[in-house]
Amino acid sequence: MTRTLTHDYVVVGAGTAGCVVAARLTEDGARTVLLVEAGAPDSSPRITTPHTWPALHGTDVDWAFRTVRQRATGHVHDIPRGRTVGGTGSTNAMAFLRGDPGDFDTWARQGCTGWDYASVLPYFRRSETAPHGDARYRGGSGPLRPAPSASLHPLSRTYLEAAQEAGHPLTEDLNGPKLRGASSHDLLIADGRRQSTATAYLEPALGRPGLDLLPRALVQRLTFDGDRCTGLDAVVDGEPVHCAAGTEVVLCAGAIGSPHLLLRSGVGPAEEIERSGVKALHDLPGVGRNLQDHIILAGLTTPSRGPLPPPSGNLGEVTLLLDSEPGRASVDLQIVFIHVPFTNPWQRAPEYGYTFGVGHMRPASRGRLTLASADPEAPPLLDFRYLDQAQDLRALVAGVRHALEIGRTAPFDAWRGAEHPLVGADDRAVETFVRDAVQSYGHAAGSCRMGVDALSVVDPHLRVHGLTGLRVADASIMPEIVSTNTNAATVMIGEKAADLLRGRDRAES
């Protein structure tokens, strides 16, 4: 017998955005919210200890998705996504960077009214308490407490000196008005422990009578009455449960989970859905398209002279944001310094060393997410089409050369055990390295694109086109991926979504 739970709102996914939406919707006691999560709560040291995050990949708190083999790299790539309360915010590297103001102005120019930088800045500010920043840009009373590392690793200090010697400016706050430069960037580490929207937003809200959390719930499908979404069917510890939404269902399952649930519920490209054995209910061609991710290169590791000081922080406390070529309107490279070896499984690493993690933040390549089968437990097919566009490869080659130049400066002389083999290599050799070094940055986005054209999935109020009672609010709605790590922008999306659900078009002062 199916158990039924009835609430005003059903929010799918207790990840970065879902925790924000659920907490904000229940602040005034006027609504009831059910927050549905496939994973379990986990506040153990394996999650809360900042430098142990790489060990979470492939465990029970990771969906452990994988791509199809990528044509340009020859590899199948791991796509880590958090499967626990807090979502990927409970398993990621804790960097907290918003993106370039121009990212959001570009969204608005593409028809996403109300998503320009001036309109979303109040939501960024609302989310945080950041007394170290300019109050015109930074918040003073929000739940999150982003801040630079309290005590930089010695090699992190060296990297900032080296970047400056190589001609890159130092920037005090990359979440302020200027994105370019090297900085000790904000991290979601508070009092030595990981902070996420689960700890900052959800945990303080769980005592409210209008908020219920349903963990270990695998959503099978959304349910509809005509064109209205009425709720969802799930399985919780082997028991069927129907979650009925009196007002709306909000998908916050991420750029993989949200389109996957839409597709297996019959919402998406009709012919493609039916070939997978699912009955098409609403033809929406854009679902699963426009899939984007940032690439980070692994293996650009320089051998050190011997053992290094113990790791600190999140292993990557400092970063450089720059242009792959002069005159760009938006930064497209991020070189994060990682004070330990960092490689793909198929790469060799020195026993002791430090790594320049070259990230490409403005990919031209676009992929697709499609159904593998009608089985709700079967993962989707993920084809990010990494390096599909030649300009992505060119940008990463430029990034490698910038990183090698920084690594050869005098501040690293005391640490460097040997030159990296790519020093002095020609473009062909660097291109070969790049193709082999590709790794997902874990920043999937764009697969339920916001917009007003025929291939968009949601409108600027995050309502799914052609349906009622259903919205999407997570990184999947980004028309173009932001030019930094996606977590902070996803928090902003959750904040703005909560206002839209409450009938507010703009943040109230």
Side-chain angles (χ1 to χ4, degrees):
M1 184 174 178
T2 301
R3 178 166 57 114
T4 298
L5 304 173
T6 302
H7 294 71
D8 296 327
Y9 292 89
V10 176
V11 178
V12 182
T16 295
C19 289
V20 176
V21 171
R24 290 301 192 195
L25 282 181
T26 55
E27 281 180 321
D28 58 8
R31 305 161 194 86
T32 59
V33 173
L34 178 65
L35 182 57
V36 180
E37 168 57 39
D42 193 330
S43 58
S44 67
R46 64 174 179 163
I47 284 179
T48 60
T49 303
H51 72 268
T52 60
W53 65 267
L56 299 171
H57 294 171
T59 69
D60 60 309
V61 296
D62 181 13
W63 284 97
F65 293 119
R66 306 193 81 199
T67 68
V68 300
R69 190 169 299 278
Q70 299 294 279
R71 180 187 61 81
T73 73
H75 293 292
V76 172
H77 298 272
D78 293 332
I79 307 294
R81 305 300 298 170
R83 185 173 181 164
T84 184
V85 173
T88 305
S90 289
T91 62
N92 66 6
M94 292 152 282
F96 197 75
L97 294 163
R98 295 174 175 177
D100 191 284
D103 295 344
F104 309 101
D105 291 337
T106 297
W107 293 5
R109 285 195 297 271
Q110 294 176 1
C112 300
T113 304
W115 292 85
D116 56 283
Y117 180 64
S119 295
V120 301
L121 178 58
Y123 293 108
F124 280 118
R125 295 181 67 247
R126 178 189 290 179
S127 73
E128 65 177 17
T129 296
H132 60 284
D134 185 331
R136 292 174 297 173
Y137 302 96
R138 307 306 303 268
S141 58
L144 296 171
R145 295 161 54 195
S149 176
S151 179
L152 284 179
H153 191 277
L155 272 164
S156 297
R157 293 195 295 270
T158 297
Y159 179 71
L160 294 178
E161 296 170 10
Q164 190 172 26
E165 183 164 317
H168 303 285
L170 296 184
T171 302
E172 186 173 343
D173 184 5
L174 290 173
N175 285 326
K178 296 179 67 175
L179 190 62
R180 289 171 176 82
S183 184
S184 174
H185 60 274
D186 280 355
L187 302 169
L188 284 183
I189 300 174
D191 302 321
R193 294 162 58 90
R194 172 193 295 274
Q195 191 181 42
S196 68
T197 59
T199 63
Y201 283 83
L202 183 62
E203 287 181 10
L206 281 176
R208 296 171 186 164
L211 177 57
D212 292 310
L213 173 65
L214 184 65
R216 303 179 187 87
L218 183 63
V219 178
Q220 307 289 293
R221 65 193 62 81
L222 301 171
T223 57
F224 293 88
D225 181 3
D227 65 1
R228 180 171 188 81
C229 185
T230 59
L232 58 86
D233 292 330
V235 174
V236 183
D237 296 329
E239 175 192 4
V241 177
H242 177 66
C243 304
T247 305
E248 291 193 56
V249 173
V250 187
L251 302 188
C252 300
I256 296 175
S258 288
H260 189 211
L261 178 54
L262 287 172
L263 291 171
R264 65 178 191 259
S265 302
V267 178
E271 291 186 10
E272 177 185 297
I273 287 173
E274 295 201 334
R275 284 198 300 269
S276 298
V278 174
K279 181 181 178 181
L281 298 177
H282 180 58
D283 188 15
L284 195 57
V287 176
R289 296 190 181 187
N290 194 48
L291 182 63
Q292 301 164 57
D293 192 10
H294 292 143
I295 283 171
I296 186 169
L297 300 183
L300 199 62
T301 300
T302 298
S304 62
R305 293 178 179 272
L308 297 172
S312 67
N314 69 329
L315 308 179
E317 310 162 307
V318 290
T319 198
L320 167 67
L321 289 160
L322 70 161
D323 304 315
S324 61
E325 54 189 20
R328 286 188 54 86
S330 173
V331 298
D332 63 332
L333 291 175
Q334 180 191 70
I335 305 177
V336 59
F337 182 74
I338 305 165
H339 52 260
V340 295
F342 166 64
T343 60
N344 282 310
W346 53 84
Q347 294 175 308
R348 291 185 178 182
E351 184 178 4
Y352 305 111
Y354 47 88
T355 305
F356 300 90
V358 179
H360 185 215
M361 315 311 284
R362 301 297 294 168
S365 302
R366 297 290 185 271
R368 289 194 71 176
L369 177 153
T370 54
L371 286 175
S373 77
D375 181 358
E377 297 193 35
L381 300 175
L382 300 174
D383 186 1
F384 285 93
R385 298 177 184 171
Y386 291 134
L387 303 182
D388 186 59
Q389 299 296 310
Q391 65 202 74
D392 295 349
L393 179 61
R394 289 197 303 271
L396 283 163
V397 168
V400 169
R401 295 209 180 281
H402 280 296
L404 292 173
E405 181 183 11
I406 293 169
R408 299 190 75 197
T409 58
F412 276 109
D413 287 349
W415 302 97
R416 189 188 317 110
E419 295 281 13
H420 192 280
L422 283 177
V423 171
D426 61 18
D427 280 353
R428 180 172 295 183
V430 178
E431 288 177 3
T432 299
F433 167 80
V434 167
R435 292 183 189 277
D436 192 59
V438 166
Q439 185 174 122
S440 168
Y441 216 149
H443 297 162
S447 51
C448 294
R449 180 170 66 85
M450 174 172 53
V452 294
D453 65 312
L455 285 177
S456 61
V457 176
V458 300
D459 69 13
H461 280 72
L462 306 183
R463 298 170 296 208
V464 176
H465 289 306
L467 299 172
T468 59
L470 181 61
R471 302 197 204 206
V472 182
D474 55 36
S476 71
I477 64 100
M478 294 182 183
E480 294 186 17
I481 194 169
V482 294
S483 51
T484 58
N485 311 60
T486 51
N487 183 261
T490 304
V491 174
M492 176 275 292
I493 290 167
E495 286 276 10
K496 185 171 173 68
D499 262 11
L500 292 171
L501 288 159
R502 292 180 288 192
R504 305 170 186 170
D505 285 339
R506 302 181 71 87
E508 296 181 350
S509 58

